[in-house]
């Protein structure tokens, strides 16, 4: 865990929901999500962009369970927590299916390292955004090249910035269809299904982490903090708003929200 500007408090840590009963209408929710995945699969080639988050593990599980022709890749930024790296290989063994490793180009990494050292991300937003561009956005764009659709684990319940996430939208930023099959899943529904189907997830969810990204930019949260308060928290402390890395910055036209609406959605 990085110690950059951690809030001084002794409040209890966040603990992920332990659903004891089936959430209302869960069967319908799950059926709708599988239907969205099936629709995504018709836009071949289609890929799940996984961060190995709990949401992405649910989607990977459904893709394998339903034998859908949707590939999966993950961005190896070179800054992932060790727990995420270990989960990656454990998941591949568990399902007998691979998750393609997408990395920044050597030339771009060399340019980044020449431009700034690792600690620069804490000193200016521009430096942090450059790191995200080189390690995340550019490799994502390369991975999506030639695809007709991608699948993400975005949920409306994750943040105010995601409150209008649709099941399907046209992602003009990357030039393809984007499917968000878990858009209307609550935290309770997510963790109920994970426990029900014994889906492997990061052990960090049991150590106070509610949202997991790169190691230097992720911290555990206290129980009363926003679930995404542990992502780029030093920037949020200055701006008062959630910080974004750029992956889900799109101009979109969706099937279930007003057309031509531009939005920036945290990744
Ligand atoms: S999340 Fe942090 S370490 Fe990862 S690419 Fe962005 S700035 Fe770099």
């Amino acid at each position: 865990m990085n110690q950059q500007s951690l809030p001084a408090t002794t409040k209890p840590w966040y603990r992920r929901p332990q659903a004891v009963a089936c959430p209302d209408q869960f069967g319908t929710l799950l059926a709708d999500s599988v239907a969205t995945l099936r629709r995504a699969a018709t836009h071949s080639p289609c890929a799940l962009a996984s961060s190995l988050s709990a949401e992405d593990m649910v989607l990977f599980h459904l893709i394998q369970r339903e034998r859908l022709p949707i590939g999966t890749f993950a961005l190896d930024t070179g800054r992932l927590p060790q727990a995420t790296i270990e989960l990656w290989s454990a998941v591949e063994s568990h399902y007998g299916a691979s998750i393609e490793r997408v990395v920044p180009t050597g030339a771009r990494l060399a340019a980044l390292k020449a431009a700034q050292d690792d600690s620069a991300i804490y000193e200016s937003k521009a430096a942090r955004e450059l790191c995200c561009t080189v390690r995340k956005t550019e490799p994502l764009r390369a991975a999506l090249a030639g695809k007709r659709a991608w699948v993400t684990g975005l949920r409306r319940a994750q943040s105010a910035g995601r409150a209008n996430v649709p099941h399907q939208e046209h992602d003009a930023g990357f030039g393809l269809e984007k499917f968000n099959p878990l858009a209307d899943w609550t935290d309770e529904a997510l963790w109920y299904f994970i426990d029900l189907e014994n889906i492997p997830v990061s052990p960090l969810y049991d150590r106070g982490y509610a949202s997991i990204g790169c190691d230097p930019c992720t911290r555990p949260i206290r129980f009363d903090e926003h679930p995404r308060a542990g992502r780029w928290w030093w920037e949020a402390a200055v701006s008062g708003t959630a910080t974004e890395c750029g992956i889900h910055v799109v101009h979109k036209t969706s099937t279930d929200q007003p057309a031509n609406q531009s939005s920036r959605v945290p990744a």
Side-chain angles (χ1 to χ4, degrees), residues 74-82 84-85 88 101-104 109 112-113 118 131 134-136 139 213-216:
L75 304 178
D76 184 349
T77 63
R79 290 290 182 271
L80 297 179
Q82 184 61 29
T84 300
I85 293 169
W88 192 326
R101 179 171 175 261
V102 174
V103 298
L109 263 187
L112 176 66
K113 290 176 180 174
D118 289 346
C131 186
V134 172
R135 296 182 183 276
K136 299 174 83 172
C214 289
D215 191 56

Side-chain angles (χ1 to χ4, degrees), residues 16-50:
R16 63 96 154 174
Q18 303 281 343
V20 295
C22 182
D24 289 345
Q25 305 295 322
F26 181 76
T28 302
L29 192 69
L30 179 59
D32 287 349
S33 297
V34 172
T36 300
L37 276 173
R38 290 191 185 284
R39 197 161 67 248
T42 66
H43 293 65
S44 180
C46 173
L48 165 66
S50 174

